Amino acid sequence: ASGSPRRAQLLTRLGLTFETLPSGLPEVHRPGETPSAHAERLAREKSMDVSARRTDALVLAGDTVVVRDGAVLGKPDHEKEAVRMLLSLAGRTHTVISGLALTTPKGEVSSGILATHVTFRPFGELLARRYVATGEPMDKAGAYGIQGLGSALVERIQGDYHTVVGLPIPLLLDLLEEAGWRYEFGALVPL
């Protein structure tokens, strides 16, 4: 239930066969909602939305947020906002939270979150503008992609790399087991 090419790449690397069917639900942050609750709720809502249309399938959905000083940084609306976001992260550590939800054909939903801390190296406005000019940051939470050119901004991470990309594989495997499936290197096997 995601249009993310990065999530699709990771599922393909795992050897899984899947269909991409984005939910199209608006990604609205509710007042007073914690970043973790926000990411998990959106993943659940997206999964259930697509599951209502594909009642015969396991439906996986995800949502990723970047959190700096308790504030959620979503996808930038324009280039100036992307530059501002990047400069607010330069030389600092922030948290990336990815929520996943898996809905079974019976309508049972399992969900959870995983968080990873990312530290950016110090940089200035010129580098931020040059990165934004590549176009890469415009569809990504926090205005960067660790799997692409944005990797040059990262000094270190503490946690799961795939959480930053948007599909925490350890959490995915746990959710599959909760739903009665085990991943066996390219295949899902019923438990």
Side-chain angles (χ1 to χ4, degrees):
S2 173
S4 165
R6 294 156 298 277
R7 288 188 186 108
Q9 272 183 332
L10 290 173
L11 290 172
T12 299
R13 283 187 198 158
L14 290 172
L16 297 175
T17 302
F18 60 94
E19 175 185 353
T20 300
L21 186 60
S23 74
L25 290 176
E27 298 182 6
V28 178
H29 188 266
R30 294 179 179 163
E33 187 174 48
T34 66
S36 296
H38 170 77
E40 187 169 1
R41 175 186 57 81
L42 284 177
R44 289 178 70 88
E45 288 177 358
K46 292 173 188 178
S47 181
M48 291 184 294
D49 176 56
V50 172
S51 182
R53 292 181 266 156
R54 286 299 311 270
T55 58
D56 61 328
L58 282 173
V59 177
L60 175 67
D63 192 74
T64 300
V65 296
V66 172
V67 183
R68 184 206 69 241
D69 299 331
V72 172
L73 301 180
K75 297 173 185 174
D77 291 327
H78 48 78
E79 290 185 358
K80 285 183 181 181
E81 184 180 22
V83 170
R84 278 196 303 272
M85 280 185 192
L86 291 167
L87 290 174
S88 77
L89 299 172
R92 301 182 62 197
T93 300
H94 60 277
T95 304
V96 179
I97 300 169
S98 281
L100 289 182
L102 185 71
T103 303
T104 69
K106 293 180 182 178
E108 299 161 336
V109 184
S110 299
S111 64
I113 58 137
L114 208 55
T116 295
H117 302 291
V118 180
T119 303
F120 271 14
R121 65 186 186 87
F123 57 87
E125 187 172 346
L126 180 59
L127 185 69
R129 286 186 183 282
R130 284 185 177 160
Y131 177 51
V132 170
T134 70
E136 184 179 88
M138 300 313 295
D139 70 336
K140 295 169 183 64
Y144 76 96
I146 196 169
Q147 71 285 351
L149 298 171
S151 64
L153 305 175
V154 177
E155 184 174 289
R156 70 179 172 277
I157 69 168
Q158 182 181 1
D160 175 56
Y161 169 82
H162 295 104
T163 294
V164 184
V165 177
L167 185 70
I169 294 171
L171 177 57
L172 170 61
L173 299 179
D174 289 346
L175 295 179
L176 285 167
E177 286 191 13
E178 280 183 45
W181 297 87
R182 182 177 60 244
Y183 172 75
E184 287 189 357
F185 302 100
L188 294 182
V189 178
L191 292 175

